[in-house]
Amino acid sequence: MAYSDKVLDHYENPRNVGSLDKNDPNVGTGMVGAPACGDVMKLMIKVSDAGIIEDAKFKTYGCGSAIASSSLVTEWLKGRTIEEAYAIKNSEIAEELALPPVKIHCSVLAEDAIKAAVADIKAKQANKEAA
Amino acid sequence: MWVRRKLYSVSQSYFDFFRLPAQYDIDLALLDNAYRSIQAEVHPDKFVTASPAERLKSMQIATLANEAYQTLKHPTSRARYLLHLNGVETQEESNTAMPTDFLITQMEWREAIEEAENAKDVTALDQQLMMMKKTAKSLQQVLATTLSNTETLPEAAKIVRKLSFIDKVSTDVGNIIARLED
């Protein structure tokens, strides 16, 4: 299958690969997996006290589309509020990368990873307030 | 002859088709025998002089037998199919919320595989493959019990999702080993 130029670009030069300190109270981690293709994606976001995403890193094992989807969202996430991040739809990712229908689930994986990371940071913040 | 199977209807399950009990633990030798006898009954050589309608019917049965056999032969697809018969879908395309500890293990496996592949270390890959097979085996043992009780079917669906993951990674490792040994 032919990948789009944008997918190839992110696949060959993935942005923000790596991880952040998972014990940092301002870091949220989202881990998701797609059983059908065996893909696993870890997304980490560092959020300021004002709720702005300052940094985002990812690590993905999977096909080119899954890697491109996660690479793209790390670029999108920086500077956004966690609410804005939570509102990102997989269709926006799929459209930006021109994913074919059979690869749409890769963008779903990226959306779910964002939601999981946001849920994690919210849980951490709730814990912090409770403490 | 195959005529007795002519009444096969869509409401019949693959288990019925092979006259096996609809359960996870099945006798694979019985499955093999049933499959082979059906394939022999509908073998194209036997329909050289048959009417086009009969020939078509025999081909349809042969195709169905293949599909049913492949589905029931492999533990993961057999479990997935049993769940489907019971109205539980495994959502392997859409449900990405796997347990975190399982995903962490997947990450670690992938990292170890990547390392071994870069080092062209076939022994390490073989060991990884064996370890994954062991993990799959223990999950399959839990499947047998969770699939026999209606209340634990959702639990069984979770196990199928995990097995699907492990199957895919195992295939990938097998391909890497084949490539390195080439």
Side-chain angles (χ1 to χ4, degrees):
Chain A
M1 185 186 12
Y3 283 124
S4 71
D5 289 346
K6 277 182 182 159
V7 170
L8 280 177
D9 180 33
H10 279 280
Y11 180 66
E12 282 163 6
N13 311 292
R15 326 307 192 242
N16 309 307
V17 175
S19 53
L20 300 166
D21 178 10
K22 69 175 190 310
N23 297 317
D24 184 333
N26 286 342
V27 170
T29 306
M31 266 188 109
V32 291
C37 39
D39 290 356
V40 49
M41 188 180 284
K42 181 170 77 175
L43 177 69
M44 300 181 101
I45 50 173
K46 189 174 169 66
V47 182
S48 73
D49 290 333
I52 309 285
I53 298 171
E54 295 174 326
D55 200 3
K57 297 268 186 213
F58 84 95
K59 191 158 196 187
T60 294
Y61 284 96
C63 68
S65 301
I67 290 167
S69 294
S70 32
S71 171
L72 174 72
V73 298
T74 56
E75 283 193 321
W76 279 1
L77 288 174
K78 287 186 199 180
R80 294 202 194 193
T81 66
I82 52 173
E83 282 75 23
E84 285 165 350
Y86 199 83
I88 292 175
K89 291 267 170 298
N90 84 283
S91 52
E92 299 167 53
I93 302 164
E95 194 184 340
E96 174 70 18
L97 294 172
L99 296 181
V102 292
K103 290 289 175 186
I104 296 297
H105 64 270
C106 298
S107 62
V108 174
L109 204 59
E111 180 192 322
D112 289 352
I114 299 173
K115 292 202 159 48
V118 170
D120 186 52
I121 193 74
K122 281 190 170 166
K124 272 190 176 176
Q125 284 168 344
N127 269 340
K128 207 160 62 174
E129 275 159 28
Chain B
M1 275 302 275
W2 71 287
V3 178
R4 69 191 150 89
R5 292 185 202 274
K6 216 161 64 172
L7 294 173
Y8 174 85
S9 74
V10 279
S11 62
Q12 251 189 325
S13 78
Y14 291 162
F15 291 100
D16 297 333
F17 183 70
F18 290 124
R19 310 215 155 112
L20 291 168
Q23 60 192 40
Y24 178 73
D25 278 325
I26 56 169
D27 187 335
L28 288 173
L30 282 181
L31 174 67
D32 277 346
N33 286 340
Y35 171 66
R36 268 193 232 112
S37 81
I38 291 173
Q39 289 299 23
E41 281 176 40
V42 296
H43 196 278
D45 286 356
K46 291 194 173 169
F47 293 86
V48 177
T49 59
S51 70
E54 273 184 316
R55 226 175 10 232
L56 178 68
K57 184 81 195 165
S58 70
M59 269 164 53
Q60 284 170 339
I61 292 176
T63 310
L64 175 71
N66 272 329
E67 205 179 284
Y69 179 69
Q70 292 305 329
T71 303
L72 297 191
K73 195 176 134 192
H74 300 285
T76 312
S77 54
R78 181 163 70 247
R80 181 186 298 125
Y81 181 66
L82 253 179
L83 284 164
H84 170 75
L85 287 181
N86 284 287
V88 177
E89 300 304 330
T90 49
Q91 300 178 315
E92 284 154 74
E93 289 278 350
S94 55
N95 192 333
T96 63
M98 306 286 295
T100 308
D101 56 342
F102 179 78
L103 289 174
I104 289 171
T105 307
Q106 293 304 307
M107 272 285 177
E108 288 167 353
W109 285 2
R110 289 284 184 182
E111 281 162 6
I113 294 162
E114 196 175 53
E115 222 168 89
E117 185 186 8
N118 290 340
K120 298 188 170 34
D121 188 345
V122 175
T123 315
L125 288 168
D126 277 332
Q127 279 167 354
Q128 179 73 28
L129 199 57
M130 248 155 59
M131 196 261 289
M132 295 192 301
K133 281 203 172 119
K134 233 173 88 184
T135 310
K137 262 236 142 59
S138 62
L139 285 171
Q140 285 159 4
Q141 277 160 3
V142 192
L143 261 188
T145 40
T146 47
L147 277 169
S148 55
N149 187 335
T150 326
E151 279 169 25
T152 51
L153 290 183
E155 190 53 40
K158 283 184 195 161
I159 297 170
V160 169
R161 282 205 290 274
K162 286 184 179 177
L163 281 170
S164 175
F165 233 106
I166 298 171
D167 290 349
K168 180 66 175 54
V169 183
S170 302
T171 310
D172 288 351
V173 174
N175 289 340
I176 295 169
I177 292 174
R179 211 165 45 230
L180 288 178
E181 284 179 338
D182 228 6

